[in-house]
Every structure is written in C-alpha cells, then in structure tokens.
Amino acid sequence: MARLAPALLLASVLLVTACGGGSTAPVWTGATSASASDGSSSPGTTASASTGAASTASGSASASGSGEGTPSPAATSAEWKTYTDPGKTVSFDLPAQWIVQTAAPAEGASAGSLNIEVKTADGVFVAALKTGLPLPLPAPCDSANARSYTVLNSVPVDLPFTDGPGVITPRFVFRVIQGYKFFGSFGLTGVATAAQDGKACQLVNIVPGPPGVGGYSFADVTEVTAPAPSARVAPLASFDSLAQASDYVHTSAKFADAQRMIMSLKFTPKN
C-alpha cells in the first residue's frame, strides 16, 4: 500500500471491519484535519463522531492483476458518525459532515425496503443503500454491445448473502467500463459478471441478501453500462485512461471515504 508523507498525517486510523476470505482488517489513514462538525444528524441517525484510535499497522499490496486489493491508501476524514435507520435494521459509518436522506423505495423493491442516500456536506450524491431489490435476471449480451471492463480494486466484506447460481462472496469493488471514456463505479457486489474475453454489457452492484433483506445495494449506481456520449454520466466518475482511474483509487480522499463507509455496513439480526 502506498504511504502518504508524514507531513500529511497526524495519526493513522484503524477501522476494524471483519472481512471474509482470510483477509486482514482494513487499515484506514486519517486526515490531518477535518472541518468542524456541528454534530447534527438526520432523523433516525445516531451520531457518534470519533477520530479513531492511533495505529501503526501497515497495509499490504494494493490492487493486483487478479482484481484483489486493499482499501484505498488515501487519507479518510478525521471525524465520523454512525447512521442507524429508524427501524434499527442497518447501520454504517460516514464522515461527520456528510448528509443522510431517506428516499422512496427503488422501483420494484419489496414492501418495507430502504432507500438511503448519502451526500457530501454540499449536497453532492455519493452512494445509496437500497434493500428489497429484485435480483437482476441474466440478460443476453450481443458481442457488438459488449465493452471492456477492468477491476481496479476488490475487497471481501463480511456481509450476509444467499448462495445460488452466479452468486459470489460479497465484495467491495471499483470497476471501470470502457466507452467513449473510462467510466468507474464503486460499491458492493455479490453477482458474478457475465463476461467473455474481458468484455461485458453490464456490471451489477447488487448482493443477493437473506430472507427479509432481499437484494441490496450500497453503491453509486446499482447497474453499470457504458453511457452514450449524449447520456448523463453522473454519478459515475469518468477518466481519460485506466492509469488516471487507478490514480483516483489510490489518491482520492472522497473515494477512500466512500469505500470506508460502504465497508462498514452492518445488518442487525432480527430476534
């Protein structure tokens, strides 16, 4: 893992999050300073801001050709809070100044499902946690419409899922699909990509959850295709090259914050 210059750091922040596949706990690097937080939170939020404990743990190598990686080495926000939904079914950590808003359930979602949007302090959308989603059905992919894609980071996460055909152990991923530019998407996935020769028509950011949860997504978008030049790109990030996309994964503080937030997701077991 790349190291940041000591002048940029006051301390390293260790967020202990269980990971599957025998992986070690993520190591998060704290920023030198963070804007003051007023400690406020949205309805249903439990704000428990903290700066984390100092740690001297060292990270391992970043993304390899196999797509296996570690959390972004970029510095994350210094102060964090915990969001818990009103029904106390899910919780996750987020930077103290980010905003949580509830929205109408996603189209086709089951009754009682969640749609929780996370935005930066200035209202820019980061990611949404959605539950009760129908699982995507395999769709035919004409080779003429398939696009090259690359996994730039893939980290196992310890989250519930229902096994089945085409299901993989849940992971946080950052993947880039090539269109007129390189378009990057991040989030949780538990569905194998239908690909051939490194090309696919669609990337899915959904995990097949257990009964009562259904399919769930904590990502910038739930499904990724290469947008047409006239289409709206946001919230996907766009890059001129794969090298630029890789640099984003390794140096963007906003991406590091989003990754740390999404990997902190927890479901509360029902009694």
Side-chain angles (χ1 to χ4, degrees), residues 244-266:
Q244 191 180 78
S246 179
D247 184 64
Y248 170 77
V249 170
H250 286 80
T251 63
S252 169
K254 182 178 177 181
F255 172 74
D257 278 343
Q259 184 179 33
R260 175 174 171 176
M261 174 183 71
I262 291 172
M263 289 182 63
S264 73
L265 176 65
K266 293 181 178 63

Side-chain angles (χ1 to χ4, degrees), residues 46-205:
T46 302
S48 54
S50 65
T51 57
S55 171
T56 57
S58 60
S60 55
S62 58
S64 66
S66 65
E68 195 73 25
T70 57
S72 171
T76 58
S77 295
E79 294 185 1
W80 289 69
K81 61 187 177 184
T82 299
Y83 172 85
T84 303
D85 74 298
K88 301 188 184 304
T89 59
V90 297
S91 66
F92 57 86
D93 301 330
L94 70 160
Q97 291 198 333
W98 283 12
I99 303 164
V100 178
Q101 296 177 332
T102 57
E107 183 177 353
S110 59
S113 60
L114 300 174
N115 187 357
I116 301 167
E117 296 185 349
V118 181
K119 301 178 180 180
T120 62
D122 52 1
V124 177
F125 175 84
V126 178
L129 170 60
K130 303 176 182 181
T131 64
L133 299 176
L135 297 182
L137 297 174
C141 178
D142 189 324
S143 59
N145 296 324
R147 297 290 181 266
S148 298
Y149 79 97
T150 304
V151 181
L152 290 179
N153 205 8
S154 176
V155 188
V157 289
D158 185 14
L159 286 168
F161 70 102
T162 298
D163 204 356
V167 174
I168 61 175
T169 302
R171 318 179 72 79
F172 174 91
V173 294
F174 181 82
R175 298 176 289 189
V176 174
I177 192 165
Q178 186 174 359
Y180 67 92
K181 282 193 171 187
F182 295 85
F183 299 94
S185 174
F186 60 81
L188 299 175
T189 189
V191 179
T193 300
Q196 186 173 0
D197 298 327
K199 295 184 177 181
C201 288
Q202 184 182 66
L203 309 176
V204 178
N205 293 329

